[in-house]
Amino acid sequence: RNPAPPVAPAPAAVTELVPYFGYTSTSRDLALAYAMVALRDRNNADRQRAFTSLQQAAEQGTADPAALVYLAEFYRDAQDDAHALPLYEQVWSKDRTQYAAAAALGAYRMQRGDLAGAITLWKDALALNPGMTLVRVNLATALLRAGQPNEARAMVEKALELNPASPEARDLLSRLR
């Protein structure tokens, strides 16, 4: 008896998004919708569709800061900092409510050794969205490196209040003791 041939996995289905109630959507709206679905479902086909749509919106000048921050995230995930960083900077200069841009720019500043810049950006991000545990841990690390151990401890303790299971916060707190 011959064994059954292996079954190839089905290709990832591409989500087909359509506007409700017959409304039309702009390419920017559709790009954002696909970006959200792609990130939620971790579907590479939707991710590529979102990325291409966001690039087109940026090239056509129809991408606003919300769309550009998603495009920057896709570039950063692809480790293409040459494209991601200018987009984050553009977003932050246009819209100081885009906390994801501030958080990412803080990370870039920290990587470049600009502690003061990283601290400022992470504080700005947390003022807009205080629930970002990893940003709190990053800020605590920067504060510690900047010689502010008491502020670092307070920040990491708040991170643990928000997420007691955070391994990054637990690790940093153990180093602060």
Side-chain angles (χ1 to χ4, degrees):
R1 207 169 154 188
N2 291 335
V7 177
V14 176
T15 306
E16 194 59 44
L17 300 176
V18 293
Y20 283 105
F21 306 114
Y23 289 105
T24 59
S25 65
T26 65
S27 60
R28 174 255 185 215
D29 293 340
L30 198 55
L32 278 175
Y34 276 107
M36 291 173 198
V37 167
L39 293 172
R40 181 194 69 200
D41 297 344
R42 301 190 188 279
N43 181 316
N44 286 334
D46 287 338
R47 184 180 188 83
Q48 186 56 47
R49 186 172 189 171
F51 180 68
T52 301
S53 298
L54 288 167
Q55 283 180 313
Q56 289 170 349
E59 289 167 5
Q60 295 167 356
T62 59
D64 61 349
L68 292 175
V69 81
Y70 272 102
L71 181 57
E73 292 289 330
F74 284 128
Y75 278 123
R76 190 173 85 181
D77 288 349
Q79 299 178 350
D80 185 350
D81 295 333
H83 284 96
L85 180 57
L87 285 171
Y88 284 126
E89 289 171 338
Q90 181 183 354
V91 167
W92 189 240
S93 71
K94 286 183 177 182
D95 185 353
R96 293 292 174 131
T97 67
Q98 293 291 332
Y99 57 84
L105 286 170
Y108 281 113
R109 296 294 188 279
M110 183 78 158
Q111 288 171 356
R112 288 169 172 77
D114 177 7
L115 292 176
I119 289 168
T120 298
L121 284 159
W122 284 329
K123 284 182 177 180
D124 289 345
L126 289 170
L128 295 166
N129 183 351
M132 296 185 294
T133 304
L134 190 54
V135 173
R136 285 189 180 280
V137 173
N138 289 341
L139 176 54
T141 301
L143 289 166
L144 185 60
R145 290 183 185 172
Q148 301 174 45
N150 294 335
E151 293 85 348
R153 179 184 307 282
M155 191 58 57
V156 78
E157 287 172 351
K158 180 65 177 177
L160 283 168
E161 282 178 32
L162 294 169
N163 182 1
S166 169
E168 298 88 359
R170 288 175 176 272
D171 179 57
L172 184 55
L173 187 60
S174 71
R175 287 188 279 144
L176 284 166
R177 289 189 174 153

